[in-house]
Amino acid sequence: MNMVQPQGTAKVRSRGLDVFYGEKQALFGVDLDIRAGEVTALIGPSGCGKSTFLRCINRMNDLVDGARVAGSLTLDGDDIYDRSVDVVQLRAKVGMVFQKPNPFPKSIYDNVAYGPRIHGKAADQSELDEIVMTSLEKAGLLKEVKDRLQESGTGLSGGQQQRLCIARAIAVEPEIVLMDEPCSALDPIATAKVEELIDELRENYTIVIVTHSMQQAARVSQRTAFFHLGKLIEVGDTEQIFTNPQEPLTQGYITGRFG
Ligand SMILES: Nc1ncnc2c1ncn2[C@@H]1O[C@H](COP(=O)(O)OP(=O)(O)OP(=O)(O)O)[C@@H](O)[C@H]1O
């Protein structure tokens, strides 16, 4: 089990974070703390840089040609962009769940066992079985799939596939789970299940979620950061952001004046 830091400690800290895609600047001097043991929601209109910020935390932007990062971004005080950082190890610490459920075309079991296998997390088969079962249980999926672990992950419903992807992400015991609009391809019932799950997971993980749904941000997060045109406009306790925003731009967005 992870050593979870006391709630409120900055797990990830950005200072003056700029991100460029070629000539285009997508983030401007972002100063944001992501606190340990909480769910932080990133909200704002399309193209404001939410996903860009999220993807910096596990260096997914490294995969984009011409992407460049300046300023400082740390995880537990260590520079995420330091030359000495092993990106594979970083991504084991910082898991990710994408917008569209993307199980591998493998069995349910192998989807979850994949990460533990490549990171050598299990000494033998029974330990691997234990990790797979525990991860499925934590992802709220075990009951539904325990009799068909050898069937393909792609044969599950969309909501089950997304919970399988969450099980896959947590199987390597990450410290942080990044979620990029994890419910946008799901129906309301599957969405409710994933939201419930996010709430349970925050006991053991620090979670950052990008969402277009303000209702979702209000339901699942403790902190909310509002971005606009690549700038962080305001961050605060979720309740405060939605009931008493300090910035006119935030006010305009949450009251639906633009978006
Ligand atoms: N791979 C890329 N190449 C070039 N520009 C990009 C790339 N990815 C994002 N951008 C640009 O960077 C800016 C921020 O994009 P980003 O995807 O972070 O925004 P977002 O707030 O997550 O948007 P959305 O809500 O639509 O997903 C946008 O102007 C976008 O066009």
Side-chain angles (χ1 to χ4, degrees):
M1 192 45 62
N2 293 317
M3 285 294 294
V4 178
Q5 292 170 306
Q7 208 177 339
T9 319
K11 181 85 183 157
V12 174
R13 173 166 286 175
S14 79
R15 289 295 179 267
L17 190 73
D18 295 326
V19 179
F20 303 83
Y21 295 108
E23 297 287 285
K24 186 186 159 57
Q25 187 163 359
L27 285 182
F28 297 81
V30 173
D31 295 341
L32 179 59
D33 284 356
I34 304 293
R35 296 181 183 172
E38 291 188 350
V39 180
T40 300
L42 310 182
I43 64 166
S46 193
C48 68
K50 308 176 291 292
S51 301
T52 296
F53 183 83
L54 193 77
R55 290 194 305 255
C56 286
I57 303 174
N58 66 349
R59 289 186 45 175
M60 287 294 280
N61 285 331
D62 288 13
L63 308 173
V64 178
D65 255 0
R68 188 163 63 77
V69 172
S72 131
L73 186 65
T74 59
L75 168 58
D76 293 331
D78 296 328
D79 183 1
I80 289 175
Y81 280 88
D82 192 87
R83 277 164 186 267
S84 66
V85 169
D86 176 342
V87 178
V88 174
Q89 290 305 325
L90 173 71
R91 294 192 189 134
K93 267 196 203 173
V94 188
M96 189 153 188
V97 175
F98 296 87
Q99 188 167 359
K100 217 170 147 275
N102 59 348
F104 303 134
K106 291 170 178 286
S107 70
I108 293 168
Y109 184 98
D110 285 341
N111 262 277
V112 185
Y114 182 84
R117 276 187 181 128
I118 56 172
H119 290 288
K121 293 266 178 190
D124 54 31
Q125 185 60 42
S126 74
E127 230 176 90
L128 189 60
D129 288 351
E130 176 67 28
I131 294 174
V132 170
M133 294 307 190
T134 313
S135 306
L136 286 168
E137 169 73 34
K138 283 192 203 156
L141 191 59
L142 185 60
K143 254 196 230 150
E144 290 156 71
V145 302
K146 65 178 184 313
D147 298 325
R148 46 177 173 145
L149 294 175
Q150 294 313 322
E151 287 175 25
S152 176
T154 55
L156 296 170
S157 73
Q160 289 172 327
Q161 287 187 21
Q162 196 60 310
R163 281 179 286 140
L164 179 63
C165 293
I166 293 172
R168 183 177 67 189
I170 61 182
V172 291
E173 299 206 305
E175 295 170 22
I176 303 177
V177 181
L178 309 176
M179 298 184 165
D180 198 349
E181 297 182 48
C183 300
S184 64
L186 307 184
D187 65 37
I189 292 170
T191 295
K193 281 199 176 151
V194 170
E195 288 184 359
E196 235 172 77
L197 177 59
I198 292 171
D199 200 48
E200 286 163 19
L201 291 175
R202 100 181 134 91
E203 285 206 10
N204 293 310
Y205 308 95
T206 300
I207 296 175
V208 191
I209 178 172
V210 166
T211 178
H212 272 120
S213 157
M214 284 183 267
Q215 289 81 357
Q216 179 166 73
R219 282 192 298 262
V220 303
S221 73
Q222 288 71 55
R223 300 272 293 172
T224 294
F226 170 66
F227 286 78
H228 185 253
L229 295 176
K231 295 191 174 133
L232 174 66
I233 304 299
E234 184 169 356
V235 58
D237 288 348
T238 295
E239 196 178 326
Q240 177 252 310
I241 294 290
F242 287 108
T243 57
N244 184 24
Q246 302 299 298
E247 297 294 329
L249 274 172
T250 318
Q251 170 90 21
Y253 183 69
I254 64 164
T255 54
R257 259 184 282 137
F258 65 91

